[in-house]
Amino acid sequence: MSRILFIENRYSTFFWSAMADLLIEDGHEVFFVVENHSFKPVGGNVYVIPYPTKTDLAASSGSQIFVQIEKSDRAINYFGLKNSSHYSYYFKKIEQYIVDIKPDIVFGESTAFHELLTIEICKQLNIMYLQPGSCRYPAGRFSFYKYDTLETYSGSNQKMDNDRALSMINKIVNRAIVPDYMIKPSDSVGIKIKRMLDLLKHTKAYFEGEHYCTPNPFLKIALERKRKRNIERWDKMTEHKQQILGCQSFKILYPLQMQPEANLDVWGRKYNDQLRLIKDIITTTDNEVMIVVKPNPKSKYELSSELIDYVNGCNRIIPIKHGVPMAEVFSEVDMVVTVTGTIAIESILSNKPVVTLIKTMNNVSKNCIFISSLSELQSVVDVIRKSEFPIIDNTEKIAFINMLNKTSFAGLPYGNSDITNTADCKVAFDSILKADGK
């Protein structure tokens, strides 16, 4: 039997608790480490980190690990937190808890600062840390990712037959299905009430001392107002630029990735300044190349005033309005550049030339090229212009979609704790624990 540790992450903790109950029934020992006291599980072996005092903060000291985590810390990058003086305090507390618990395996996300600290501690202590998260495609499935990476750990090893695989590929290519995380939530009265209750819960947590994952509620309101204004500015700006989408120039599609989000801020940390990235794409490609920038349908703080100003003033950028479907844009471009976006999978299966800036399992497909530096981008453009970019056939597409299926499991381990979903996820957790030898 295993000693299992879950790391609190707001509402994900509700799912962790449901899974913990099932694992305890099987004889496993389950523990929790909690940073946000408002999301403390009821009962069980729960270690709640006391909120630090001013003296605790004054005693903090920096390290290279902390410098790296700062680059991914949404509280510092987006929510006005002045510094990381709390890191040392939390690092020591979490390290002591882990030494006391002696977990065989740790489960958590890789978004909040305390999770990123835990990941570094687990690396140092040689303890496996896994993040259960969407595998994007096939829909309704998830993978376990190692530490703060997109490297999968274990998998169901389930293989689809050729007909089913081809059917799924065609649905993805024709956008008949989308990843689970991209499905827009309902705007019903019940959902609006839930959002209001969430706001009250977060506000209560903030005023009780949780200042490191929860923004000041007044700042949050101001940020949301600014976000809405920036979306309006962006869409207005597109009115006099989007009509050139049909021009004959070579066009690179860069879909903005939502921030804050682990997808870019953690896994794509090197490129999480998207304004800087767009500028670099411009400067590393020739003047005949146009950059098509499509916003995320659920734009957040990546759509900054500075980014809008730059896009508006650059005659080589074609901004796309929020309401324009990806299908309309995708067919007009010659290639795609992404850091860690789902668009890479869609491009592979559509044989649209695609370049990724972070190496992932998608790069096993020969029509998805990883470049370690943007200085290599122009050479890829030249290859595409000569019609020499690799393409894959149906056999290779089937092998690719089955690789995604084999390295994932049925279920959605976030938010939805209904009986069927929890049972599916339990099968996945059992498989992981077995693979880990526990």
Side-chain angles (χ1 to χ4, degrees):
M1 294 294 102
S2 300
R3 294 173 69 85
I4 301 165
L5 174 60
F6 287 100
I7 307 300
E8 170 267 323
N9 183 299
R10 289 188 177 179
Y11 295 101
S12 294
T13 315
F14 298 153
F15 178 85
W16 301 149
S17 294
M19 187 55 56
D21 290 342
L22 297 177
L23 293 171
I24 290 169
E25 288 178 5
D26 288 347
H28 299 288
E29 286 188 87
V30 179
F31 303 82
F32 285 84
V33 166
V34 173
E35 187 275 335
N36 189 324
H37 300 188
S38 294
F39 292 88
K40 174 186 174 183
V42 178
N45 301 307
V46 181
Y47 291 71
V48 180
I49 307 170
Y51 294 135
T53 65
K54 289 184 179 179
T55 303
D56 294 324
L57 298 181
S60 295
S61 60
S63 73
Q64 188 56 39
I65 290 174
F66 294 169
V67 170
Q68 287 301 306
I69 292 175
E70 277 185 17
K71 294 177 182 178
S72 299
D73 191 331
R74 57 185 62 191
I76 292 174
N77 295 329
Y78 304 102
F79 298 139
L81 190 65
K82 301 299 183 184
N83 55 58
S84 60
S85 60
H86 55 294
Y87 281 10
S88 181
Y89 168 82
Y90 277 95
F91 187 96
K92 291 174 183 175
K93 288 289 185 182
I94 296 169
E95 183 179 44
Q96 187 58 58
Y97 293 154
I98 291 178
V99 169
D100 291 345
I101 295 167
K102 297 181 176 61
D104 297 304
I105 193 165
V106 180
F107 293 104
E109 295 191 17
S110 61
T111 54
F113 83 94
H114 64 285
E115 295 163 327
L116 298 175
L117 290 172
T118 303
I119 286 170
E120 293 302 325
I121 293 165
C122 286
K123 288 178 182 177
Q124 292 180 12
L125 298 176
N126 198 29
I127 298 169
M128 180 58 70
Y129 184 107
L130 296 177
Q131 347 153 23
S134 170
C135 65
R136 308 175 189 198
Y137 293 112
R141 298 179 69 84
F142 74 101
S143 296
F144 290 92
Y145 300 102
K146 296 171 66 173
Y147 301 101
D148 55 350
T149 75
L150 278 172
E151 181 183 349
T152 57
Y153 180 82
S154 189
S156 65
N157 207 32
Q158 294 169 337
K159 181 180 178 182
M160 292 181 280
D161 62 53
N162 289 357
D163 288 343
R164 185 181 166 209
L166 277 175
S167 174
M168 181 169 292
I169 290 166
N170 289 330
K171 287 178 181 177
I172 294 171
V173 169
N174 294 307
R175 302 186 185 278
I177 55 175
V178 296
D180 303 292
Y181 69 90
M182 289 184 68
I183 298 173
K184 290 188 177 181
S186 165
D187 204 28
S188 65
V189 173
I191 294 296
K192 289 179 179 178
I193 292 173
K194 182 180 180 300
R195 287 174 184 159
M196 182 59 68
L197 292 174
D198 289 348
L199 178 60
L200 292 173
K201 191 178 184 76
H202 297 322
T203 301
K204 178 176 179 290
Y206 180 84
F207 285 110
E208 288 179 346
E210 204 301 279
H211 298 161
Y212 309 109
C213 294
T214 305
N216 181 307
F218 300 107
L219 173 63
K220 178 69 172 176
I221 290 170
L223 286 172
E224 283 302 300
R225 287 175 177 167
K226 185 176 182 180
R227 180 183 70 86
K228 291 176 181 177
R229 288 197 301 271
N230 282 343
I231 289 174
E232 291 173 359
R233 275 192 66 201
W234 178 276
D235 285 348
K236 185 174 179 60
M237 173 183 65
T238 65
E239 293 174 2
H240 69 279
K241 293 192 103 179
Q242 190 169 302
Q243 64 271 20
I244 60 176
L245 182 60
C247 70
Q248 296 304 305
S249 300
F250 187 97
K251 292 184 284 293
I252 295 175
L253 171 62
Y254 176 73
L256 285 168
Q257 294 187 231
M258 188 172 71
Q259 291 176 283
E261 192 69 45
N263 195 13
L264 190 61
D265 290 314
V266 177
W267 304 330
R269 183 181 289 154
K270 181 180 176 182
Y271 296 101
N272 66 0
D273 182 345
Q274 294 191 85
L275 172 55
R276 177 75 266 158
L277 174 55
I278 291 170
K279 288 180 178 180
D280 288 345
I281 293 173
I282 289 288
T283 58
T284 55
T285 53
D286 66 56
N287 290 332
E288 302 304 312
V289 174
M290 300 292 287
I291 313 301
V292 179
V293 179
K294 188 180 187 309
N296 188 287
K298 298 185 285 187
S299 286
K300 292 192 76 174
Y301 309 133
E302 75 281 358
L303 206 64
S304 66
S305 300
E306 294 78 12
L307 188 147
I308 296 171
D309 290 340
Y310 177 75
V311 169
N312 192 39
C314 182
N315 60 13
R316 286 180 54 201
I317 296 181
I318 306 172
I320 303 299
K321 193 172 183 176
H322 279 84
V324 176
M326 177 61 87
E328 290 185 19
V329 181
F330 198 73
S331 61
E332 294 288 342
V333 301
D334 298 285
M335 72 174 293
V336 175
V337 171
T338 187
V339 183
T340 54
T342 303
I343 190 73
I345 297 174
E346 296 159 352
S347 298
I348 290 167
L349 299 177
S350 302
N351 266 318
K352 178 74 70 175
V354 59
V355 161
T356 72
L357 304 178
I358 295 294
K359 193 168 187 177
T360 70
M361 62 193 304
N362 294 330
N363 298 114
V364 303
S365 183
K366 65 184 180 184
N367 63 346
C368 179
I369 295 177
F370 162 68
I371 58 173
S372 58
S373 168
L374 281 168
S375 62
E376 303 172 53
L377 184 56
Q378 181 63 49
S379 63
V380 180
V381 170
D382 294 337
V383 167
I384 296 169
R385 280 174 168 158
K386 292 185 289 186
S387 300
E388 295 177 355
F389 195 88
I391 62 172
I392 61 175
D393 58 25
N394 281 347
T395 300
E396 292 167 300
K397 290 180 183 181
I398 291 170
F400 177 77
I401 200 71
N402 264 323
M403 177 190 69
L404 301 182
N405 207 64
K406 289 178 179 179
T407 54
S408 62
F409 298 89
L412 300 174
Y414 29 81
N416 181 7
S417 295
D418 64 59
I419 294 174
T420 301
N421 182 58
T422 305
D424 283 342
C425 293
K426 173 63 163 46
V427 171
F429 275 80
D430 287 342
S431 177
I432 288 297
L433 295 171
K434 182 178 178 180
D436 202 49
K438 309 298 179 185

